[in-house]
Amino acid sequence: MEKTKTLLLLLTSSIILFKLYLFPPTQSHEDLKAEPDELELTNLNNNHTWPLLYAKDVVSLNGKNFSEFMGKNRNVMVMFYANWCYWSKKLAPEFAAAAKMLKGEADLVMVDAYLEKDLAKEYNILAYPTLYLFVAGVRQFQFFGERTRDVISAWVREKMTLGTYSITTTDEAERILTVESKLVLGFLHDLEGMESEELAAASKLHSDVNFYQTTSADVAEFFHIHPKSKRPALIFLHLEAGKATPFRHQFTRLAIANFVTHTKHPLVVTLTIHNAQFVFQDPRKQVIEGPLLLLILGNSYFCF
Ligand SMILES: *[C@@H]1O[C@H](CO)[C@@H](O)[C@H](O)[C@H]1NC(C)=O
Ligand SMILES: *[C@@H]1O[C@H](CO)[C@@H](O)[C@H](O)[C@H]1NC(C)=O
């Protein structure tokens, strides 16, 4: 019994010693620390680090800073890519060139959708590369055109001047509120067709106000339109001034454009004993709306 035990012990020890001799442990603690650099080098050799080449012109975003960037920048085109994907790599130089052409007008962003699983899931990215234009933090349009700098930049410019954007969820509505200072919202039967066209036409006359449309009663309510309102309904929100003005005329481009003209500039007028008389005789005061009485006379916003 004792003999077998000793034999077994000897056998195990010799196996261990033999193994150590053949495969000496080379990875000390220091080596383990150095591993990330090695990985990066390997990647460079496989040339999967190509996105770095465009860092000068294209912003790179991940799950941690995506929302913050979207909250601060109005027109953002996002390229969801995978770094192993040939078509992503092929598009990148054209995308970066488009970014240069659009400098000051729109931001072009790359997101590694293969790594950033949460973002990929949120935006349902099923193919690489996928290109979207976000306006005020909300995804609005997908790009399907020819992947060249000229076509991309022309497309972004065209979408930016469109003037009317859609809101489908209250989540999107919330994001828009953090970006916009004033906006028009149309609560429509349909996102396409007559009503939408009238709204879009009116928006062309007001490049300084952003026009949105929705068919969702929840979104309408979020923007202070009563969900039971008869469609089409429209409201002007002056968020800085905390003012909501409903539109009460016929839903035509001209009536909407006029309404926006009269509502968009709350003039700041200081009421003094000298101008009080004049201000109160202003015919525009007929536009007074309910509880905002005396605060809003016509288009004037008073500081008392
Ligand atoms: C990686 O690819 C880019 C072009 O996509 C090329 O300019 C660069 O030289 C390549 N780098 C390496 C290390 O092969
Ligand atoms: C977002 O985070 C990534 C990773 O930390 C970084 O490379 C990138 O520059 C950041 N983008 C912005 C706009 O801060």
Side-chain angles (χ1 to χ4, degrees):
M1 195 65 205
E2 197 64 34
K3 224 172 144 189
T4 2
K5 240 185 174 174
T6 321
L7 250 168
L8 210 72
L9 199 74
L10 257 169
L11 193 73
T12 333
S13 321
S14 47
I15 289 174
I16 291 172
L17 278 172
F18 186 61
K19 214 180 147 206
L20 276 176
Y21 171 74
L22 273 185
F23 311 102
T26 48
Q27 279 203 342
S28 68
H29 196 62
E30 297 301 302
D31 288 334
L32 279 175
K33 263 193 188 158
E35 221 167 57
D37 284 342
E38 279 173 26
L39 273 180
E40 256 166 46
L41 270 176
T42 323
N43 267 350
L44 202 66
N45 290 338
N46 290 340
N47 216 347
H48 277 182
T49 50
W50 56 263
L52 293 176
L53 295 174
Y54 309 104
K56 200 159 56 70
D57 301 309
V58 176
V59 179
S60 162
L61 294 177
N62 60 18
K64 293 203 186 78
N65 52 23
F66 187 86
S67 307
E68 193 195 343
F69 188 86
M70 288 297 170
K72 282 186 189 151
N73 298 281
R74 199 179 146 65
N75 299 298
V76 183
M77 189 176 196
V78 183
M79 166 180 166
F80 291 96
Y81 71 96
N83 68 6
W84 45 261
C85 156
Y86 170 78
W87 297 106
S88 299
K89 189 173 167 182
K90 192 163 186 290
L91 164 61
E94 292 300 312
F95 191 70
K100 260 191 210 159
M101 293 164 81
L102 292 165
K103 216 177 181 83
E105 295 172 67
D107 292 288
L108 272 66
V109 161
M110 297 210 308
V111 171
D112 187 334
Y114 185 67
L115 279 183
E116 303 298 330
K117 303 265 190 243
D118 289 344
L119 284 175
K121 198 168 162 213
E122 183 176 352
Y123 292 106
N124 197 25
I125 304 305
L126 300 173
Y128 314 108
T130 297
L131 295 160
Y132 284 115
L133 181 67
F134 284 67
V135 180
V138 173
R139 177 173 59 178
Q140 292 287 351
F141 308 103
Q142 185 168 4
F143 177 82
F144 293 108
E146 195 190 333
R147 290 171 181 167
T148 62
R149 61 194 74 190
D150 292 333
V151 174
I152 293 171
S153 54
W155 180 84
V156 170
R157 287 198 179 110
E158 181 209 317
K159 294 299 177 197
M160 274 165 38
T161 54
L162 211 61
T164 310
Y165 303 104
S166 302
I167 312 177
T168 44
T169 65
T170 48
D171 206 48
E172 293 177 353
E174 262 175 64
R175 260 177 277 163
I176 283 164
L177 278 193
T178 64
V179 178
E180 299 290 12
S181 59
K182 54 190 169 204
L183 64 91
V184 168
L185 178 79
F187 180 34
L188 314 181
H189 287 101
D190 210 321
L191 295 180
E192 283 166 30
M194 278 269 285
E195 292 167 1
S196 175
E197 279 162 25
E198 291 302 311
L199 193 62
S203 80
K204 295 251 190 286
L205 302 170
H206 295 284
S207 58
D208 56 337
V209 178
N210 294 303
F211 283 55
Y212 291 94
Q213 57 180 11
T214 192
T215 53
S216 152
D218 289 338
V219 171
E221 190 173 16
F222 191 91
F223 287 103
H224 301 280
I225 294 178
H226 194 278
K228 294 241 166 69
S229 293
K230 231 180 86 199
R231 300 183 215 193
L234 190 103
I235 198 154
F236 187 104
L237 290 186
H238 202 299
L239 299 156
E240 279 165 351
K243 184 174 104 165
T245 316
F247 172 72
R248 302 193 194 285
H249 309 275
Q250 224 188 338
F251 208 84
T252 63
R253 59 190 71 192
L254 255 166
I256 296 169
N258 279 337
F259 163 76
V260 173
T261 304
H262 291 293
T263 321
K264 75 178 172 186
H265 291 304
L267 306 172
V268 177
V269 177
T270 309
L271 202 58
T272 66
I273 202 80
H274 302 290
N275 68 9
Q277 186 81 8
F278 167 75
V279 167
F280 281 107
Q281 279 168 1
D282 190 323
R284 289 180 300 175
K285 71 183 168 188
Q286 284 153 8
V287 196
I288 292 172
E289 298 264 8
L292 297 169
L293 191 82
L294 280 187
L295 255 181
I296 301 158
L297 291 181
N299 308 321
S300 310
Y301 186 70
F302 291 94
C303 302
F304 288 108

